Amino acid sequence: MTPAELQILISRLTGVAEEMGAVLRRAAFSPNIKERADCSAALFTPEGELLVQAEHIPVHLGSMPASVQAALDVLGPAIRPGEQVVLNDPFAGGTHLNDLTLVAPCFVDGRLVGWAANRAHHADVGGMAPGSIPAAATEIHQEGLRIPPVLLTDEVVAVLCANSRTPEERRGDLDAQRGANAVGVDRLAAFAAAPLDEITGYGERRMRAALAEIEDGTWTFEDQIDSCGPEPEQQRPARIVVTLTVGGDEATFDFTGTDHQRPGNVNAVEAVTVSAVSFAIRSAADPTIPANGGAMRPVRVVAPPGSIVAARPPVAVGAGNVEVSSRVADVCLGALAAACPGRVGAANQGTMNNTLIGGEGWVYYETVAGGQGGRPGRAGMSGVQTGMTNTQNTPVEALERSFGMRVRRYTLRAGSGGAGRWPGGDGVERELELLERATVSLITERRSSRPWGLEGGEPGAPGENWLLPGGDESRAERLPDKCTINVQAGDVVRVLTPGGGGYGRV
Amino acid sequence: MRCGVDTGGTFTDVVGADGRVVKVLSTPDDPGRAVREGLAGLEPSLLAHGTTVATNALLERRGARVALVANRGFADVIEIARQDRPSLYDLWADRPEPLVPRELRLEVDGRLDASGREMEPVGEPPGVPEGVEAIAVCLLHADLEPAHEKAVAAALPDLDVSCSHEVSPEFREYERTVTTVVNAYLRPRCRAYLRDLHGVAAEVLVMTSAGGLIPTGDAADLPVALLLSGPAGGVVAGSAAATAAGFEGAITFDMGGTSTDVCLVQGGVPEPAAGRRAGGFPIRLPSLDIHTIGAGGGSIARIDPGGALVVGPESAGAEPGPVCYGRGGTRPTVTDADLVLGRVPAGAVFPGLGPLDVEAARSALDEVGASAEGVVAVVDAAMERALRAVSVERGVDPSDLALVAFGGAGPLHACALAEALGMAAVVVPPRAGVLSAVGLLCAPRQRPLVRSWPAPTDHDGLEEALAELGGQARAAVGEGAEVTTSVDCRYAGQSHELTVAAVADFPDEHERRNGYARQGAPVEVVALRATARTPPAVRPDDLPAVDRRPATGPCVVAEPDCTIWIPEGWKADVGPDGSFVVRRA
């Protein structure tokens, strides 16, 4: 293939993934997908290697190949044109139960050309608290409906809807996901004769060229998850450690030494860990490397089975996707900061500040922005999504017109960014007043540990969670980093998100 | 005589109703000088103007020092934006710096609830710091109830105040805030510029992003509406050319040096949008739905470390420009590739340039290891994606559409693109090199208005409200204006809206755009729209015909302001308005 033919093939296929993403976002029902764009779309080779993606959410994209692989393993030979596979089981191709992935084969004249897949975060898939990431869960069965790779039929949709607190929204979102894959399959068929493996070969060459630029060596970095749940016995921090070895044009991220999985939901399955590694290496080595399966061939990930970065059933994993993934990215970036100085910033806020609220007939899910770490030569941005997520907020006016809540305050948290030659960005202060009785779950991190500085910069301020009963400042009580509480009309939940670490001595 | 004047990056183009074309060098330090120079001796009765003053002031950050008044606890909405970052992996890809620094974000007490009812009365407005030149006021839910914003504005009587309920009265506070702030930011500069234009013609009208003309006084109040002033002219003339050639549907394709604008036309009307990004900000104001990509004739080609040919986003711009210009450019561009391929004749003369250096272009391509065919094919693939984004992705079949090509490089690339998308024909309007100025001359006077609908599920009184809004739009344009109305609808629970002529049309439109409809599901109305327009006094086919003859490819048709490439197997006929209509023979 000539350089031009290769580029044109990539461009056209990326256009297909973008079109899938556009259909999904346009046709979806829930604010979570439409307003926040908590969804992703991609195309895969017949063997299940990622070809192209529409750039949405880092944690989705690095982990979707596992979904396609699981669909292949379970249904591969039996699947027929027009059928789609649905799954959310973290232990069979998923990440956490909210993320429903649909995988559809593309056949041309009886030959499998590739797969179209998309993933969307569904605001509620059942379980013991609205939002399906209950802070108190210790095993996956408490988190919601678990769907191994099965054909998507009306019956499966019915089961799913029956298990959700917001069935109509689920039905609408699933329609949109199905439609997005149908578009992807239709468009991918035009590439039946194209040499798709050239694309993954190209990704591999790009990653190898970038890795060859990094000096050979070994670097170790460790950090922690502050707590594994709301209970007193869950307050012991869990250690995550990575040893990065770069040799020639290959790299290994070895998590040996990371703590064993814990009772609680702060456990990540291996696919999530791989996606965090893939995020970190691309942002440090070369952000323009295409995120296809080839790019990860020279990168080895060693995640000890049964550790919090490669959890095994039946442990709960709701926060693995959002919180453990953030810390895995942090330790990888920490190691890379030593390996390629000048290309990595100080730690970002390091949590998604997951806020899940359920009232009568509605469920609201939001992740709250924070501070970006200071960067070599530039201060960190304030009030911004960093690391493994990039979802938009729900506008205050949209939120107040849709849910039984009011936003009392949504502003930057002055002075929360770590000091440094290039300071960390500030976190955010957000106060939600409930207008009716509701259940609130907070799944947050960096409430005791702090986002680290780099090259002598100071750490960012840790986050804080508060309940103001009746909105009364004088009765304010500190909430733990992970909790599920029942609140009354007039109560206010205040979340202060962490600032980013500073870069360089002041 | 009526004249259209388009200020561009390099040239200021004048087209008179008698068909005359004047091209003068732009004068970026004082853009009005080139306008006056171009109009010298014409004594225009009416000047229809496309200006870059607003766009440049925003992109170059040369606007006013603006203070923002927001609700207490919400002053940083302008910085937090929608929380997302522009690039997932690039650590250095920053959001644009907010136009209001933290020390000028002021807060006021008072609050409305989600239905616009007062929960807490509005407080005393804060003191305005020294040196502030303009103020933006944006309070929560002001799209439903403007009283609090009005009270704040009334308390700041001697200042230049833009209120969000006037600039962009729709919900979603960040977009409304940023649109209002940009308006305040642009006002002093745009007002001064427009005032200076007084006297160059008996009447001066300015083009808006929505493709209609407004008086200079209105433009000075609402300069945020001028961000697409120039490109909108090209779309207006392009859609007229498609209609004249017998195509109800088209895509306009304006490929310039650093960027390319495409816009879908349906039923002879360019697609409207509720907003568009400019300078990294979501500007929410009625606009033509122009989709821009950062590739054009000046885009630079290179081979990346993985062995793929990459074209752009780096651009050689006007300075130093492509290698073949001989002005110091050393990296090969799309224009160099077009020249090497013979699509631009080696003897072509561009205003202000000497002879083109084909050999230099060829050796620059050789040096990076790129073939000229490859560079053109890669940039065409990027264009194809843009064309698909505005057609296929919206459920519109391109096989019925014409591709209307103009701008410096559009007519060089159009046939290959029409082929790739299976489009019906390529249309190259007369005066394709100055088409924006033609569009200005031939644009309607127009005023779009929008208003939030407070009770989404309750449609009582909708017709009356639409009629009232239409009346306001008509009053702004003048008696005799035609008024069209529409509503922004969604299914209850959704959060993106579709604009339709009537609520009853919503399910079908949803089916067409999104692939399904939900029969019987409740439909919510969130906003009402009304546009009044008076038909233009001059139409493109009123202009004297240009001298064109049918041509058969492969050949190059070189015109004073534009070069057209007709590939082998294609044939160009001349339509009734003088457009080339190019089809597969």
Side-chain angles (χ1 to χ4, degrees):
Chain A
M1 242 187 163
T2 67
E5 286 166 346
L6 174 60
Q7 184 64 41
I8 290 164
L9 181 59
I10 294 170
S11 175
R12 295 213 166 122
L13 276 172
T14 307
V16 174
E18 284 174 354
E19 188 178 338
M20 290 170 64
V23 169
L24 176 53
R25 205 174 159 193
R26 251 189 354 240
F29 251 68
S30 59
N32 192 51
I33 297 174
K34 302 193 69 98
E35 294 275 8
R36 301 179 57 238
D38 195 349
C39 58
S40 296
L43 299 174
F44 294 82
T45 65
E47 296 75 35
E49 244 189 338
L50 178 64
L51 274 173
V52 291
Q53 62 174 38
E55 295 214 345
H56 292 287
I57 311 289
V59 73
H60 283 177
L61 294 161
S63 54
M64 252 207 284
S67 298
V68 179
Q69 201 57 56
L72 263 167
D73 292 347
V74 176
L75 291 147
I79 197 158
R80 285 177 308 203
E83 293 179 332
Q84 299 204 25
V85 178
V86 61
L87 65 91
N88 76 343
D89 185 353
F91 301 108
T95 52
H96 63 174
L97 294 178
N98 300 83
D99 283 343
L100 257 63
T101 307
L102 264 59
V103 182
C106 171
F107 287 96
V108 174
D109 299 331
R111 184 173 68 86
L112 182 65
V113 172
W115 302 85
N118 70 77
R119 171 172 293 170
H121 182 111
H122 286 249
D124 190 278
V125 291
M128 62 197 272
S132 310
I133 312 182
T138 55
E139 54 177 41
I140 191 158
H141 307 99
Q142 296 165 313
E143 298 188 302
L145 181 69
R146 186 173 164 195
I147 311 168
V150 292
L151 287 180
L152 180 66
T153 61
D154 291 348
E155 290 77 12
V156 170
V157 173
V159 170
L160 180 76
C161 292
N163 278 276
S164 173
R165 292 175 177 84
T166 44
E168 275 312 298
E169 207 175 82
R170 301 290 68 77
R171 206 179 290 278
D173 287 349
L174 277 170
D175 277 346
Q177 284 191 270
R178 197 181 340 214
N181 269 0
V183 164
V185 166
D186 192 41
R187 296 278 315 278
L188 182 58
F191 296 85
L196 298 180
D197 51 356
E198 291 275 351
I199 292 182
T200 46
Y202 166 72
E204 181 175 352
R205 291 195 298 279
R206 289 290 307 276
M207 183 59 87
R208 286 191 187 277
L211 291 174
E213 298 274 304
I214 302 176
E215 296 260 340
D216 288 1
T218 297
W219 300 268
T220 297
F221 197 90
E222 75 169 81
D223 203 334
Q224 69 174 46
I225 289 286
D226 292 344
S227 79
C228 298
E231 300 302 323
E233 66 273 17
Q234 292 175 310
Q235 299 314 303
R236 197 162 49 95
R239 188 171 102 111
I240 298 180
V241 55
V242 71
T243 301
L244 163 65
T245 304
V246 177
D249 60 1
E250 300 191 345
T252 301
F253 290 83
D254 185 343
F255 292 89
T256 302
T258 296
D259 280 351
H260 200 264
Q261 68 190 39
R262 300 281 179 80
N265 69 357
V266 194
N267 299 294
V269 294
E270 187 178 359
V272 168
T273 298
V274 170
S275 88
V277 169
S278 140
F279 166 77
I281 186 71
R282 288 182 68 212
S283 39
D286 180 351
T288 67
I289 293 174
N292 68 46
M296 284 303 278
R297 284 180 198 151
V299 179
R300 209 167 129 243
V301 178
V302 179
S307 68
I308 65 166
V309 297
R312 285 196 303 206
V315 78
V317 296
N321 193 47
V322 284
E323 297 302 302
V324 180
S325 71
S326 301
R327 198 66 66 252
V328 171
D330 282 346
V331 297
C332 293
L333 287 167
L336 284 160
C340 30
R343 287 202 244 156
V344 175
N348 300 318
Q349 68 159 338
T351 173
M352 297 191 196
N353 305 295
N354 304 274
T355 307
L356 303 94
I357 305 181
E360 186 69 44
W362 55 269
V363 176
Y364 160 83
Y365 173 54
E366 184 119 55
T367 58
V368 187
Q372 181 191 34
R375 298 161 289 176
R378 223 183 283 173
M381 289 184 278
S382 296
V384 67
Q385 295 285 24
T386 54
M388 299 303 289
T389 189
N390 198 30
T391 52
Q392 296 192 329
N393 63 7
T394 307
V396 171
E397 290 172 343
L399 182 156
E400 293 189 353
R401 293 177 200 187
S402 302
F403 303 111
M405 292 186 287
R406 181 177 301 138
V407 182
R408 288 217 315 187
R409 188 170 174 78
Y410 183 38
T411 193
L412 293 175
R413 188 182 168 207
S416 56
R421 170 118 197 262
W422 290 291
D426 285 333
V428 163
E429 299 181 32
R430 190 166 168 88
E431 289 181 7
L432 290 174
E433 177 184 352
L434 277 300
L435 302 179
E436 57 184 84
R437 278 171 46 172
T439 303
V440 176
S441 290
L442 296 177
I443 311 278
T444 63
E445 271 289 319
R446 293 290 196 215
R447 266 46 185 175
S448 48
S449 70
R450 303 168 66 177
W452 34 265
L454 207 56
E455 301 291 331
E458 299 290 321
E464 297 172 21
N465 304 336
W466 294 85
L467 174 68
L468 281 60
D472 182 351
E473 193 71 52
S474 67
R475 291 164 60 203
E477 49 185 273
R478 190 79 178 256
L479 294 171
D481 61 353
K482 298 173 187 72
C483 58
T484 297
I485 53 172
N486 292 313
V487 294
Q488 307 300 318
D491 289 354
V492 170
V493 175
R494 173 187 292 161
V495 173
L496 309 183
T497 71
Y503 188 99
R505 230 168 283 285
V506 180
Chain B
M1 182 176 64
R2 290 169 173 265
C3 289
V5 178
D6 177 44
T7 301
T10 311
F11 294 105
T12 295
D13 300 329
V14 180
V15 172
D18 62 355
R20 86 173 73 183
V21 174
V22 180
K23 233 175 166 47
V24 296
L25 279 172
S26 290
T27 48
D29 56 312
D30 171 16
R33 207 167 69 232
V35 173
R36 285 187 290 272
E37 192 187 324
L39 289 171
L42 293 181
E43 292 176 13
S45 58
L46 183 144
L47 163 64
H49 185 31
T51 173
T52 49
V53 167
T55 313
N56 289 345
L58 179 61
L59 298 183
E60 295 163 13
R61 294 298 185 111
R62 289 186 292 117
R65 189 168 163 80
V66 178
L68 168 67
V69 180
N71 291 92
R72 188 159 308 286
F74 293 88
D76 292 323
V77 161
I78 186 146
E79 181 165 350
I80 299 170
R82 294 296 298 275
Q83 293 195 159
D84 53 333
R85 63 190 187 276
S87 164
L88 294 186
Y89 303 102
D90 184 355
L91 183 64
W92 275 270
D94 282 356
R95 305 190 287 197
E97 185 75 21
L99 292 171
V100 182
R102 289 194 194 182
E103 67 272 16
L104 295 183
R105 297 174 201 163
L106 313 175
E107 295 185 336
V108 65
D109 287 323
R111 187 71 150 84
L112 305 175
D113 72 9
S115 60
R117 275 192 301 266
E118 183 174 276
M119 294 166 52
E120 181 196 340
V122 65
E124 281 292 309
V128 176
E130 282 292 308
V132 166
E133 297 165 286
I135 305 220
V137 181
C138 186
L139 303 178
L140 290 169
H141 303 296
D143 58 315
L144 299 177
E145 172 52 67
H148 283 191
E149 285 193 355
K150 284 179 172 166
V152 171
L156 303 168
D158 300 326
L159 294 161
D160 185 349
V161 179
S162 294
C163 284
S164 83
H165 74 271
E166 289 176 330
V167 174
S168 178
E170 297 180 69
F171 86 123
R172 295 190 177 100
E173 68 281 355
Y174 170 64
E175 287 79 0
R176 194 168 72 248
T177 300
V178 84
T179 304
T180 308
V181 164
V182 168
N183 196 62
Y185 183 76
L186 297 175
R187 256 191 189 175
R189 178 172 286 265
C190 289
R191 180 170 288 138
Y193 172 72
L194 294 167
R195 195 188 305 118
D196 276 359
L197 285 182
H198 280 313
V200 300
E203 186 177 14
V204 181
L205 299 174
V206 187
M207 189 66 154
T208 69
S209 307
L213 298 167
I214 57 175
T216 49
D218 293 352
D221 284 343
L222 198 64
V224 69
L226 307 181
L227 290 170
L228 284 183
S229 186
V235 174
V236 167
S239 67
T243 305
F247 294 96
E248 284 283 285
I251 302 176
T252 62
F253 173 58
D254 179 0
M255 182 169 169
T258 54
S259 66
T260 299
D261 293 330
V262 302
C263 183
L264 178 67
V265 176
Q266 296 203 87
V269 180
E271 282 277 286
R276 188 179 180 281
R277 295 192 83 84
F281 299 115
I283 303 299
R284 195 184 50 194
L285 213 65
S287 163
L288 298 181
D289 198 1
I290 296 176
H291 180 89
T292 301
I293 60 167
S299 294
I300 290 171
R302 64 185 171 90
I303 305 282
D304 78 10
L309 173 56
V310 180
V311 180
E314 286 177 286
S315 170
E319 289 294 336
V323 177
C324 64
Y325 285 10
R327 294 207 288 198
T330 56
R331 304 177 66 191
T333 65
V334 172
T335 299
D336 292 310
D338 279 326
L339 179 68
V340 167
L341 291 175
R343 296 166 160 210
V344 178
V349 181
F350 292 156
L353 287 180
L356 299 179
D357 190 342
V358 187
E359 277 319 306
R362 189 171 289 130
S363 61
L365 284 162
D366 288 347
E367 207 156 299
V368 301
S371 69
E373 293 85 354
V375 172
V376 168
V378 168
V379 82
D380 282 356
M383 303 294 160
E384 188 189 323
R385 248 164 93 181
L387 295 175
R388 282 188 182 278
V390 300
S391 57
V392 181
E393 286 187 24
R394 298 176 185 177
V396 176
D397 179 359
S399 66
D400 302 329
L401 305 179
L403 185 62
V404 184
F406 52 98
L412 292 176
H413 292 253
C415 290
L417 294 172
E419 178 100 350
L421 276 99
M423 298 176 75
V426 169
V427 172
V428 184
R431 303 178 182 86
V434 293
L435 199 69
S436 281
V438 174
L440 295 166
L441 180 63
C442 304
R445 290 175 199 244
Q446 178 177 299
R447 176 60 64 93
L449 294 179
V450 59
R451 171 176 303 166
S452 279
W453 180 250
T457 49
D458 179 1
H459 303 166
D460 281 352
L462 195 64
E463 289 307 317
E464 294 80 352
L466 278 169
E468 189 194 328
L469 193 64
Q472 288 172 17
R474 180 181 285 115
V477 173
E479 279 312 312
E482 301 166 19
V483 174
T484 53
T485 58
S486 53
V487 280
D488 289 6
C489 298
R490 63 186 182 192
Y491 287 120
Q494 284 187 318
S495 49
H496 277 207
E497 297 82 36
L498 294 176
T499 301
V500 289
V503 180
D505 299 339
F506 174 73
D508 285 348
E509 182 66 8
H510 196 276
E511 167 102 45
R512 191 178 72 75
R513 287 239 178 184
N514 300 333
Y516 69 93
R518 317 198 97 199
Q519 296 309 330
V523 175
E524 294 185 343
V525 173
V526 300
L528 316 184
R529 297 178 184 277
T531 298
R533 65 171 72 79
T534 55
V538 181
R539 297 157 44 87
D541 47 10
D542 295 335
L543 301 185
V546 295
D547 182 25
R548 277 179 165 175
R549 297 188 189 141
T552 304
C555 69
V556 175
V557 178
E559 299 189 337
D561 51 48
C562 145
T563 307
I564 303 151
W565 164 245
I566 301 166
E568 182 158 8
W570 291 70
K571 192 170 178 310
D573 293 316
V574 180
D577 67 333
S579 286
F580 274 129
V581 180
V582 195
R583 289 189 172 90
R584 269 242 167 246

